[in-house]
């Protein structure tokens, strides 16, 4: 690992938990969301510097999209309108402080206590390819199953959450066109 | 693989992107003048830029309750992400940083626009601009997945995420020819992440300018620059992804890259002016019911071609 990488790793390694702390000290839901996003982007940077560029960049890519959608929902469901009032992310201050301190100490202790294995063989040139073959080779069945389970969960959750079914929209014989929707939109409607 | 750029490309790449964006703005102004029946002169093409010094010198606009930090962060993020995306776009043989995951990098930078526009909408604490920010997220959910599949088609065809590999893999037959669906969806995606033309909904006139409604001075300049910079970056990326990069007869590589980029940019500007604005909810349904299946089938094509090879 070159000096640049080490410096980057150090900077990102400090920034990530610092932004994490900001999540619990800021008093606006929007700022909290973006502090968390900044922290996760730093984690993506750390993963990239550690030699997994694909996973690192994908973390940034996915987290930006996810946190933005989360921001919308978090602000929508805040107790105060639009989340514009000052708020705090802290609940059960004493308990959570103890839990987080213990977890942090355990993780740090783990760094020193775990007998890290030495590197066997040379580092692969293209870790993206390695990650791909690991996922799509040996674990293909797992990934395919996982994909279908996730999709089924999403479809199932949507079906359970929506109060309008196809009989509401298309009539008792499913032949009502156009569909009886409160607001028409989109393909063919 | 392309040659890694010398130190000066670090300055040349943003400068070129800016030049392309300026050309696009001037082209739009000229077309506007022509359509309005005004004489087409140099002054017409220059007029959009006369507001730049005024915007730089303008008093920053202050609203009660504005989150200035997030607001400004949003305005800065959009052009910065556009410039960062050029890191992986090859110009002829030269590329600033030939990342092994170039396509993913471009995609990640483009997604930063989601954050930028939402922040720009949230920051001023004003209803219309906030609605504009939310509109962009709805639009993002619509355009992003088809765009991702379009990008994946090219990467699958070249069996590499490196942009120069993708350009090199198209010797003889451009991806635009045998992946037309991906090409069209990509161009639509470029218009969408530039929130312009048919995808100008987040900054629509029906919303008093939406995300652009309350912003003024340098911040407004940056946000609007980001819009045009993204249009230029998307056009520049179309050349290596779908049009064979710098490949072409007679002219040197860089010249072909430039010609292709300019052509795509012209097409995008024309399309942005011609096409009507699409509401995000309508486009979500079109994207999820029609475009996603189409683009998945499109990804299947290069996958099968590669399996047979």
């Amino acid at each position: 690992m070159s000096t640049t990488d080490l410096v980057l790793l150090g900077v990102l390694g400090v920034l990530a938990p610092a932004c994490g702390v900001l999540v619990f000290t800021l008093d606006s839901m929007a700022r909290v969301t973006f502090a968390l996003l900044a922290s996760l982007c730093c984690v993506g940077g750390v993963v990239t510097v550690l030699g997994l560029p694909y996973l690192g960049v994908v973390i940034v890519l996915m987290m930006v999209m996810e946190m933005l959608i989360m921001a919308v929902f978090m602000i929508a469901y805040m107790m105060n309108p639009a989340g514009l009032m000052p708020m705090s992310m802290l609940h059960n201050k004493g308990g959570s402080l103890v839990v987080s301190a213990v977890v942090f100490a355990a993780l740090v202790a783990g760094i020193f206590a775990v007998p890290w294995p030495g590197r066997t063989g040379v580092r692969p040139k293209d870790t993206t390819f390695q990650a791909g073959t690991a996922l799509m080779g040996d674990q293909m069945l797992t990934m395919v199953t996982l994909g279908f389970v996730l999709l089924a969960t999403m479809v199932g959750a949507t079906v359970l959450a929506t109060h309008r079914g196809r009989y509401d929209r298309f009539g008792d014989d499913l032949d009502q066109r156009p569909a009886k929707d409160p607001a028409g939109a989109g393909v063919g409607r | 693989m392309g040659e890694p750029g010398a130190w000066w490309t670090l300055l040349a790449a943003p400068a070129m992107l800016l030049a392309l964006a300026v050309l696009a703005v001037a082209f739009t102004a000229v077309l506007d003048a022509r359509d309005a029946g005004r004489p087409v002169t140099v002054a017409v093409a220059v007029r959009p830029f006369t507001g730049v010094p005024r915007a730089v010198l303008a008093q920053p606009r202050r609203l009660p309750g504005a989150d200035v930090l997030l607001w400004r962060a949003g305005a800065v993020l959009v052009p910065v992400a556009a410039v960062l995306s050029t890191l992986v776009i090859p110009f002829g043989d030269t590329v600033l940083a030939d990342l092994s995951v170039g396509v993913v990098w471009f995609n990640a930078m483009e997604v930063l626009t989601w954050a930028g526009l939402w922040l720009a909408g949230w920051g001023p604490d004003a209803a219309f601009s906030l609605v504009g920010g939310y509109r962009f997220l709805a639009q993002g959910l619509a355009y992003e997945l088809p765009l991702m599949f379009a990008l994946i088609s090219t990467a699958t065809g070249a069996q590499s995420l490196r942009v120069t590999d993708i350009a090199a893999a198209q010797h003889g037959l451009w991806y635009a020819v045998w992946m037309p669906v991906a090409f069209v969806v990509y161009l639509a995606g470029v218009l969408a992440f530039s929130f312009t033309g048919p995808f100008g909904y987040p900054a629509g006139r029906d919303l008093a300018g939406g995300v652009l409604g309350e912003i003024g001075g340098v911040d407004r300049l940056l946000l609007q620059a980001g819009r045009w910079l993204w249009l230029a970056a998307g056009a520049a990326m179309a050349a290596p992804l779908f049009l064979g990069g710098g490949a072409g007869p007679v002219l040197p590589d860089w010249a072909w890259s430039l010609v292709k980029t300019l052509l795509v940019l012209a097409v995008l500007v024309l399309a942005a002016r011609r096409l009507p604005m699409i509401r995000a909810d309508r486009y979500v349904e079109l994207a999820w019911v029609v475009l996603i299946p189409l683009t998945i089938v499109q990804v299947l094509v290069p996958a099968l071609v590669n399996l047979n090879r």
Side-chain angles (χ1 to χ4, degrees):
Chain A
M1 195 172 267
S2 69
T3 322
T4 326
D5 286 351
L6 279 176
V7 171
L8 263 178
L9 201 61
V11 171
L12 291 171
V14 171
L15 275 180
C19 292
V21 169
L22 281 181
V23 171
F24 295 98
T25 52
L26 293 173
D27 65 351
S28 129
M29 184 49 94
R31 287 194 179 195
V32 161
T33 306
F34 282 89
L36 185 55
L37 177 57
S39 178
L40 291 165
C41 287
C42 290
V43 172
V46 167
V47 173
T48 306
V49 174
L50 287 179
L52 287 164
Y54 178 75
L55 293 182
V57 179
V58 162
I59 285 175
V60 175
L61 171 70
M62 301 311 285
M63 283 308 145
V64 174
M65 293 168 71
E66 270 176 23
M67 295 302 297
L68 260 298
I69 300 303
M70 203 194 77
V72 172
F73 281 98
M74 292 294 274
I75 289 168
Y77 293 139
M78 290 280 292
M79 292 303 282
N80 55 67
L84 289 171
M85 304 291 281
M87 47 67 76
S88 166
M89 289 289 281
L90 293 173
H91 312 285
N92 183 19
K93 289 188 186 177
S96 57
L97 197 64
V98 171
V99 171
S100 51
V102 168
V103 170
F104 184 77
L107 287 174
V108 172
I111 295 174
F112 298 103
V114 168
W116 294 102
R119 183 188 293 287
T120 52
V122 287
R123 182 169 155 171
K125 206 174 163 201
D126 188 357
T127 47
T128 307
F129 186 77
Q130 302 281 318
T133 44
L135 288 180
M136 291 299 166
D138 306 342
Q139 302 300 328
M140 190 69 172
L141 186 63
T142 321
M143 294 304 289
V144 170
T145 316
L146 200 67
F148 277 111
V149 170
L150 277 173
L151 185 65
T153 311
M154 285 191 273
V155 172
T158 310
V159 167
L160 288 177
T162 185
H163 72 285
R164 288 176 62 79
R166 57 189 161 147
Y167 292 105
D168 297 315
R169 300 180 61 230
F170 296 119
D172 291 342
D173 298 322
L174 296 179
D175 59 354
Q176 178 177 292
R177 293 293 184 282
K180 196 179 150 207
D181 287 330
V187 187
R189 281 191 280 124
Chain B
M1 245 201 252
E3 303 165 25
W7 66 268
W8 54 264
T9 54
L10 206 61
L11 302 173
M16 257 169 46
L17 191 68
L18 191 64
L20 285 171
V22 164
L23 271 181
V25 174
F27 186 43
T28 306
V30 166
L31 289 176
D32 279 342
R34 201 197 56 184
D35 284 3
R38 281 181 276 136
V40 175
T41 56
V42 179
V44 164
V46 174
R47 186 160 299 143
F49 306 103
T50 53
V52 171
R54 198 173 44 201
V56 171
L57 294 174
Q59 277 282 351
R61 189 166 173 172
R62 290 264 182 268
L63 283 94
D67 193 332
V68 179
L69 177 72
L70 293 188
W71 193 7
R72 190 151 292 166
V76 173
L77 195 56
V78 178
V80 165
V83 168
L84 284 178
S85 76
T86 59
L87 209 66
V88 295
I89 303 177
F91 186 68
D93 269 346
T94 314
V95 53
L96 207 58
D98 200 13
L99 302 183
S100 63
V101 292
V103 174
V104 192
W105 172 268
F106 183 81
N107 204 322
M109 291 306 110
E110 171 264 303
V111 165
L112 282 181
T113 313
W114 288 38
L117 277 204
W118 190 82
L119 285 171
W122 169 266
D125 190 23
F128 284 149
S129 68
L130 182 61
V131 173
Y134 282 145
R135 276 186 178 185
F136 189 76
L137 288 190
Q139 186 168 295
L141 286 175
Y143 83 79
E144 192 62 49
L145 280 173
L147 176 67
M148 279 178 166
F149 282 120
L151 293 173
I152 290 169
S153 305
T154 62
T156 310
Q159 300 190 42
S160 171
L161 292 167
R162 198 186 293 272
V163 182
T164 48
D165 285 352
I166 293 173
Q170 301 173 55
H171 45 81
L173 194 56
W174 291 352
Y175 284 168
V177 177
W178 63 285
M179 300 182 195
V181 177
F183 187 46
V184 171
V185 167
Y186 172 80
L187 291 183
V190 174
L191 289 176
F193 60 67
S194 320
F195 53 109
T196 183
F199 300 98
Y201 189 56
R205 275 187 201 165
D206 60 328
L207 201 60
V211 287
L212 294 170
E214 301 292 345
I215 200 165
V218 181
D219 295 338
R220 184 188 178 84
L221 194 65
L222 280 171
L223 195 58
Q224 281 193 313
R227 195 180 202 179
W228 292 99
L229 287 172
W230 262 125
L231 200 68
M237 190 66 168
L241 283 187
F242 291 99
L243 302 173
V250 188
L251 294 176
D253 282 359
W254 63 266
W256 273 115
S257 278
L258 191 62
V259 167
K260 288 169 184 174
T261 303
L262 286 173
L263 279 177
V264 175
L265 192 56
V267 167
L268 287 173
V269 167
L270 286 172
R273 286 171 44 78
R274 284 269 169 253
L275 299 173
M277 199 164 82
I278 311 172
R279 249 168 48 193
D281 59 334
R282 285 174 184 254
Y283 194 65
V284 169
E285 194 157 352
L286 175 75
W288 285 57
V289 177
V290 179
L291 294 183
I292 290 181
L294 272 180
T295 42
I296 289 179
V297 172
Q298 178 72 96
V299 178
L300 192 64
V301 173
L304 291 177
V305 167
N306 276 330
L307 274 180
N308 273 329
R309 211 166 258 168

